Amino acid sequence: LHHFLKGSPPTTSVQDLANTVIPHRRDNGSVLFAYTAKPRPVDDDKPQTTNTNTLILLHEFFGLTQSICDKADALAEDLQCRVICPDTFRGQSSTFIPKCIWLALTTPQERVNQDLEDVLQWASSSPMEKLAVMGFCYGGGKAIRFTTQKRPNAITVVCYGSPVTDVNELQKLERPVCGVFGQLDVQFPPPLLEAFRNALSEANVQHDVKVYDGVGHAFWSDMEQIRRGDQPQLNAYKQITTFLRKEFS
């Protein structure tokens, strides 16, 4: 409902947004498009001293959009790390909500896991110290399922995505979890989020899960909200960057 009421981000083709092409290891000749962000060099005459931490940032059900790329740029700068936004819809994006829903429902976790493993295989050609996986909406649910299923040593950030409440699954995680949700989110209501918190506690997973009053699903839509100082978007951004800065240190 939120997406119907607030509209959707403008469409630019995935190929136009992407600045990185990653080969699939399993599909002969096929590639995965991605947007990669790195901090701007402080001085062009000096070598860049970016740390070797990597953040994988997963898009909403619109697909890879300018909004996600803008968030990647900001996070790369603030955290001084590399941020990679893979196109998990494999070339498709949309502003037509029924198609967005269809894309999300027909993209299985197993395929996303394979794509992210290909991303990390490609990324491993450069030094990589610590890994975090973060996602919004559709991408948030995919993020925590990837870390529980394939990369338990990765840090997880879920922004209003489908939580995992299976204690046995969460017990696999070796690193903390950050969660950002809206109190008025009808997809993920407060009782479900309380169950998420309780399951993380029972699984002995350190976590910072916050539910922001007065907002619903997908309340942080773009970086302009952060630049204006909108609340609670700015507090959510500070929560995420403080959490990741600590875990990356």
Side-chain angles (χ1 to χ4, degrees), residues 20-27 30-34 56-59 84-92 103 106-123 133 138 142 146 150-151:
T20 305
V21 178
I22 299 169
H24 281 295
R25 291 179 295 168
R26 299 165 186 81
D27 300 332
S30 67
V31 296
L32 178 69
F33 290 102
I56 304 296
L57 185 61
L58 302 183
H59 55 73
I84 306 171
C85 308
D87 162 34
T88 69
F89 287 163
R90 295 188 174 183
Q92 297 194 68
L103 285 170
T106 57
T107 303
Q109 185 69 44
E110 182 180 2
R111 195 186 86 180
V112 174
N113 290 351
Q114 291 174 353
D115 286 353
L116 297 186
E117 288 292 350
D118 288 346
V119 170
L120 293 174
Q121 176 68 26
W122 170 84
V133 185
Y138 150 89
K142 297 300 186 189
F146 176 66
K150 294 293 183 179
R151 292 282 176 148

Side-chain angles (χ1 to χ4, degrees), residues 53-177:
N53 297 321
T54 296
L55 172 62
I56 304 296
L57 185 61
L58 302 183
H59 55 73
E60 300 172 309
F61 75 168
F62 296 115
L64 187 65
T65 63
Q66 186 63 57
S67 172
I68 289 294
C69 297
D70 291 344
K71 290 172 182 174
D73 288 335
L75 289 165
E77 195 67 33
D78 284 351
L79 299 170
Q80 290 293 294
C81 72
R82 173 175 56 172
V83 182
I84 306 171
C85 308
D87 162 34
T88 69
F89 287 163
R90 295 188 174 183
Q92 297 194 68
S93 63
S94 183
T95 60
F96 182 51
I97 300 301
K99 183 176 181 181
C100 295
I101 295 171
W102 180 83
L103 285 170
L105 293 177
T106 57
T107 303
Q109 185 69 44
E110 182 180 2
R111 195 186 86 180
V112 174
N113 290 351
Q114 291 174 353
D115 286 353
L116 297 186
E117 288 292 350
D118 288 346
V119 170
L120 293 174
Q121 176 68 26
W122 170 84
S124 67
S125 61
S126 301
M128 184 165 57
E129 184 178 354
K130 294 180 181 178
L131 171 67
V133 185
M134 171 178 170
F136 293 87
C137 183
Y138 150 89
K142 297 300 186 189
I144 194 167
R145 284 161 181 80
F146 176 66
T147 55
T148 53
Q149 295 172 16
K150 294 293 183 179
R151 292 282 176 148
N153 62 335
I155 304 151
T156 308
V157 181
V158 181
C159 295
Y160 36 83
S162 175
V164 172
T165 56
D166 185 329
V167 174
N168 291 328
E169 286 296 300
L170 293 172
Q171 283 177 336
K172 300 174 184 177
L173 294 175
E174 301 167 11
R175 300 300 304 276
V177 171

Side-chain angles (χ1 to χ4, degrees), residues 189-208:
L192 175 59
L193 302 179
E194 188 62 26
F196 181 38
R197 282 199 190 102
N198 291 340
L200 287 165
S201 296
E202 187 175 345
N204 292 316
V205 176
Q206 294 182 26
H207 58 278
D208 177 16

Side-chain angles (χ1 to χ4, degrees), residues 5 39 46 76 83 119 126 152 184 193 202-203 219 224-225:
L5 294 176
K46 295 181 181 179
V83 182
V119 170
S126 301
L184 304 180
L193 302 179
E202 187 175 345
F219 65 89
E224 188 59 35
Q225 294 171 308

Side-chain angles (χ1 to χ4, degrees), residues 10-29:
T11 297
T12 303
S13 74
V14 170
Q15 291 81 355
D16 287 341
L17 285 172
N19 60 9
T20 305
V21 178
I22 299 169
H24 281 295
R25 291 179 295 168
R26 299 165 186 81
D27 300 332
N28 292 335

